Amino acid sequence: PIGRHEPIVTELLSRKRAGDFAELEADNNNIEFVFRRLAWWQQAVYAPDVLRQRVAFALSEILVVSDKNDLLATYPYALSNYQDTLLTHAFGNFRDLLRAVTLHPAMGIYLSHVNNAKANPELNTYPDENYAREVMQLFTIGLFELDPDGSEQTDAQGRPIPTYDNDDIREFARVFTGLSYGGDGARFHKRLPDFRHPMQMFGFFHDQGAKQLLGGTVLPAGQGGMQDIEDALDNLFNHTNAGPFIGRQLIQRLVTSNPSPAYVARVSAAFNGDTGSPRGDMKAVLRAILLDPEALATPGTYPDM
């Protein structure tokens, strides 16, 4: 069983309503703020699925949200549910994880694509570009084109080759329009967040025009908001950078901060499906990371470690 965080938060909230924390509340008006942290420590120390918890923690350092955001700090389910989402997909497929993160209200708030509406030139308003930029820079492909071993590719002048530019950010920003909170009473511009349901698409507020993505991919006009999102996530997931970019970060968080290029290449191959599993299979990636000769070797055995 998955050692989920949300049930612990629910139990703590129930105890608060029963008055168990009255003395603590006298000193802290927002004691609920610490409930999700207590849940994290409880599962980090005592949950039986130790590896899953560790991988989800590593993913939380890559697919980042934070309670430094006031709204995410206010609602105890905001980050506990987000952490449970990472736990759910930790041993699944990275593509499914990317979709779940994209639609999670905590990410929608943190990178401001919740209630992100299509452009209205008359009012001089345009889609928020925050998530469009970070989903490329931090969550999937990084800033520069990579070889399978994580080395940066360079042009004829020896300069790194960018993976995207400002025009690409603007096109992806148009993709991530029309999303708002789901759950009961769902509507665009819904005021109160619902962190226990994914965000929903509201087609009237989605940019229905054609969109130019990476590698010459064009999304046709009028195909619908969720299909635009699915196609855009496929565009990033299938990019050649995804394996080395995500693989290297997972190695750094699970094994060593300075993996050799050969180590990165072996993990990248597992991500790409070269070891017999589907592309993005997290179990294959984790096996490649944790059972690699460099991970199992005595420190100093590999000269380039």
Side-chain angles (χ1 to χ4, degrees), residues 78 117 177 246:
T177 52
I246 295 300

Side-chain angles (χ1 to χ4, degrees), residues 11-57:
E11 179 186 353
L12 292 170
L13 288 170
S14 177
R15 291 177 58 188
K16 175 180 178 292
R17 288 191 292 269
D20 286 3
F21 306 117
E23 293 183 8
L24 294 175
E25 285 186 88
D27 298 324
N28 186 343
N29 292 330
N30 188 23
I31 190 175
E32 294 180 6
F33 173 78
V34 302
F35 285 175
R36 78 97 182 166
R37 297 189 177 190
L38 291 173
W40 189 92
W41 280 108
Q42 170 75 19
Q43 299 298 48
V45 175
Y46 296 110
D49 54 342
V50 177
L51 180 57
R52 186 186 290 268
Q53 298 289 329
R54 184 66 184 86
V55 172
F57 177 59

Side-chain angles (χ1 to χ4, degrees), residues 26-162:
D27 298 324
N28 186 343
N29 292 330
N30 188 23
I31 190 175
E32 294 180 6
F33 173 78
V34 302
F35 285 175
R36 78 97 182 166
R37 297 189 177 190
L38 291 173
W40 189 92
W41 280 108
Q42 170 75 19
Q43 299 298 48
V45 175
Y46 296 110
D49 54 342
V50 177
L51 180 57
R52 186 186 290 268
Q53 298 289 329
R54 184 66 184 86
V55 172
F57 177 59
L59 291 170
S60 76
E61 296 181 315
I62 300 170
L63 308 165
V64 174
V65 297
S66 171
D67 59 13
K68 294 300 182 182
N69 178 286
D70 289 343
L71 194 56
L72 298 184
T74 301
Y75 290 84
Y77 285 125
L79 297 190
S80 62
N81 187 278
Y82 184 77
Q83 192 69 20
D84 285 351
T85 298
L86 301 182
L87 285 164
T88 296
H89 296 282
F91 292 168
N93 191 283
F94 185 80
R95 172 62 175 79
D96 297 331
L97 170 64
L98 185 60
R99 184 185 193 277
V101 165
T102 298
L103 298 180
H104 199 283
M107 184 61 75
I109 290 169
Y110 191 64
L111 290 182
S112 56
H113 62 296
V114 65
N115 294 320
N116 186 26
K118 62 186 177 183
N120 187 334
E122 292 183 4
L123 297 178
N124 198 32
T125 61
Y126 297 90
D128 187 287
E129 298 177 358
N130 214 18
Y131 188 71
R133 178 182 60 253
E134 304 302 351
V135 73
M136 291 189 283
Q137 179 178 340
L138 301 180
F139 300 168
T140 54
I141 63 175
L143 291 172
F144 303 110
E145 298 286 351
L146 303 175
D147 287 327
D149 66 359
S151 302
E152 292 180 358
Q153 298 178 10
T154 56
D155 61 18
Q157 287 72 45
R159 297 171 299 194
I161 303 171

